[in-house]
Structures are given as structure tokens and as C-alpha cells.
Amino acid sequence: VRDEYLPFIKNFIEAEFSGAVLKTLALIAFKSPVKQSTIIQARGNKSYSHIKELIDYKLVEAEQHGNTRMLRLTPKFFKYFNITQRDLKNKFKE
């Protein structure tokens, strides 16, 4: 979606991702950077497919880290949700 159309589709974001995927994304955002194994422990085995979906959408990136992967938010995440990294950290402090 082009940037100029993002304000029009903000209401449809939840429809694009299931509640479970959004919860996984929220945990990744809260702990980023975070080991995939930490997310799986907290959210269960179904999180593997959630993480794959988030990587496919390029909202999360994964880098091999020993036997697991390190998950980080991408610049596309911040652009997609129209939030800066600083604002995100401040929101989680509240």
C-alpha cells in the first residue's frame, strides 16, 4: 500500500492479522531484540507460524543466533504502524 493511502486503511489492520499474530508481534515489539525461543516459550508452538507470517510481511527480521534466531523489528514495522522507535519504547513504559 502506498504511504498516502495508509491513513485510509488503518481501521483494517486488525483484519489483516489475527489476534494471535498481533499478540506475538506485540511481545516481539516489547522485548525486541528477542530470541525466538523466548517468544515460543511465552506464546507456544503456534508462534512459529506467526513469526513466519511476520517475517513474510517484513515487519520482523530474524538472524541466526546459536540454535535459535534473534528477532528484531524492521523499519517497515515502524512505518506500517506509524510510530517511531522512541515512541514505542515510551508507550511500553506507560
Side-chain angles (χ1 to χ4, degrees), residues 19-75:
V21 172
L22 286 174
K23 286 180 182 179
T24 300
L25 179 58
L27 187 58
I28 293 169
F30 182 70
K31 294 184 172 268
S32 185
V34 61
K35 291 180 184 177
Q36 178 174 289
S37 58
T38 301
I39 300 300
I40 301 304
Q41 268 186 321
R43 298 277 305 136
N45 284 336
K46 290 189 178 187
S47 297
Y48 285 112
S49 64
H50 302 164
I51 292 166
K52 181 183 180 329
E53 184 176 343
L54 294 168
I55 290 171
D56 290 346
Y57 273 97
K58 296 182 176 29
L59 297 175
V60 172
E61 63 187 8
E63 177 183 311
Q64 198 62 39
H65 187 77
N67 291 333
T68 189
R69 299 189 298 176
M70 189 63 71
L71 304 174
R72 289 182 176 77
L73 300 174
T74 64

